[in-house]
Amino acid sequence: MKPERSSPTASRRTPGRRTGSISGRKILPFVVLAVFLACTALFAGCIAAPEGQAAATINGTVTRVEVIHFTTPNQCYSCVVLGDYAEETVTTHFADELASGKMVFDHISIADPAQQEIVERYGATGSSLWIGVYDDQGGFYPEEDVRVWYKLNDKPGFTTYLKTVLEMRLRGDLTQ
């Protein structure tokens, strides 16, 4: 007579438990999450932007554009370069707007108590470049431009990009 052999999986099986299939209760949360994410993606463009976020264009006429390089007490090399490139771009390409007051450029430390009102108005929390557009109807449209960080190794590309964005903002175009 042959001795009875047991398979390695036979000892782990319990009565009433199926192997190789996943219970519906384990899949349900993933299905719900997938449906939620799909609906979010489909309807993302159908809702209005939250208050404080820029629309595609402003309703009135642009009265002033602020370009602010917010700094921290201990800036890294990239943070310093960001501010230098931004200042050079603005002073080189927008000298007339700076002279008339239609454009303003500044370096502001977020740690300076005297600057807290403007830091809070923009919502700056660290080293960053912000553009604020004011219109003649009392509107204020702040935006942090994070794309400039990706252009620090390409000064001509940085300058071209920022110049283009600022020209758009001066026209009231808040896209891009």
Side-chain angles (χ1 to χ4, degrees):
M1 186 167 151
K2 284 185 167 179
E4 193 173 311
R5 296 174 81 184
S6 66
S7 71
T9 57
S11 62
R12 288 184 284 188
R13 290 186 187 155
T14 57
R17 189 171 172 192
R18 294 182 300 186
T19 58
S21 68
I22 299 175
S23 160
R25 284 185 267 186
K26 290 182 180 178
I27 290 180
L28 184 62
F30 295 110
V31 171
V32 170
L33 179 63
V35 170
F36 174 74
L37 291 175
C39 288
T40 302
L42 287 172
F43 298 110
C46 297
I47 56 175
E51 190 156 335
Q53 287 190 350
T57 58
I58 64 168
N59 293 330
T61 303
V62 173
T63 58
R64 186 174 69 205
V65 173
E66 293 178 337
V67 182
I68 301 177
H69 173 228
F70 287 100
T71 65
T72 58
N74 298 316
Q75 289 192 85
C76 67
Y77 177 75
S78 296
C79 299
V80 173
V81 170
L82 174 71
D84 291 346
Y85 284 4
E87 182 174 18
E88 185 178 328
T89 301
V90 171
T91 56
T92 301
H93 298 284
F94 299 97
D96 292 341
E97 290 83 356
L98 287 169
S100 71
K102 185 148 185 172
M103 186 174 288
V104 176
F105 179 85
D106 204 355
H107 299 276
I108 294 178
S109 172
I110 64 169
D112 183 359
Q115 301 292 341
Q116 286 309 299
E117 186 273 323
I118 196 163
V119 171
E120 290 173 6
R121 181 172 3 126
Y122 277 91
T125 57
S127 186
S128 50
L129 187 70
W130 285 76
I131 302 169
V133 178
Y134 295 83
D135 68 19
D136 61 352
Q137 315 235 331
F140 172 60
Y141 308 89
E143 66 175 307
E144 179 180 12
D145 194 331
V146 296
R147 292 171 289 216
V148 291
W149 292 102
Y150 300 101
K151 301 183 181 305
L152 293 180
N153 288 330
D154 176 17
K155 187 176 180 181
F158 179 99
T159 301
T160 301
Y161 166 76
L162 186 57
K163 179 179 178 277
T164 301
V165 168
L166 294 176
E167 288 169 343
M168 292 170 65
R169 300 308 177 261
L170 285 166
R171 290 191 311 266
D173 182 351
L174 303 176
T175 61
Q176 186 183 358

